Amino acid sequence: YESGRLRVNLLLNRASPWADVDSYTPYEGRVDLSIKQPCNVEVRIPEWAKPAGTASAVNGEARQLGWDGRYARVGDVRPNDVVTLTFPIPERTVTENIDGVEYKMIVRGNDVVYTDPAGTN
């Protein structure tokens, strides 16, 4: 937060004096911001998410996004507003050989959500 602008860089759950961030990744391409202070909001969208597939709503009403590189510009919000951004999460299968064992992994965004063979821990 600086000079009335709140920039969310990582889509991780976090509480701050300006907003609470609730992230649904990797299960769902969604992040909610519960606004606590009036500010201008920008959210960095992950590199694997397509800006054209990103949508925004404030209190359930669609809001047009502006863009500054990877930052989605939501605009001005007030206390008690809820900002929701949604975007598709790509899923891919990766095969890696680690110490002579071939692993098949399913990756959603940046997260490994499945591995075969399964680990022991």
Side-chain angles (χ1 to χ4, degrees):
Y1 179 86
E2 185 177 316
S3 302
R5 180 176 69 171
L6 176 64
R7 289 188 113 188
V8 177
N9 294 301
L10 296 173
L11 302 184
L12 301 174
N13 294 331
R14 183 176 193 276
S16 78
W18 307 283
D20 291 341
V21 179
D22 295 310
S23 177
Y24 293 80
T25 61
Y27 308 104
E28 186 179 342
R30 176 179 160 192
V31 63
D32 292 341
L33 286 78
S34 299
I35 304 301
K36 298 178 180 177
Q37 301 289 327
C39 56
N40 185 286
V41 171
E42 298 179 4
V43 179
R44 189 175 67 81
I45 300 302
E47 65 184 33
W48 41 260
K50 303 245 187 270
T54 302
S56 174
V58 176
N59 300 324
E61 293 192 22
R63 179 165 302 181
Q64 184 73 29
L65 291 171
W67 290 92
D68 179 12
R70 296 302 304 174
Y71 285 90
R73 291 181 168 173
V74 176
D76 291 327
V77 292
R78 300 180 307 247
N80 301 314
D81 282 350
V82 175
V83 176
T84 300
L85 283 120
T86 57
F87 43 86
I89 299 179
E91 185 173 286
R92 65 190 188 281
T93 301
V94 178
T95 302
E96 292 288 333
N97 190 306
I98 303 170
D99 291 332
V101 178
E102 188 170 286
Y103 289 89
K104 175 184 169 185
M105 294 170 274
I106 297 176
V107 180
R108 293 199 65 190
N110 290 332
D111 297 285
V112 175
V113 295
Y114 173 82
T115 184
D116 182 38
T120 56
N121 296 326

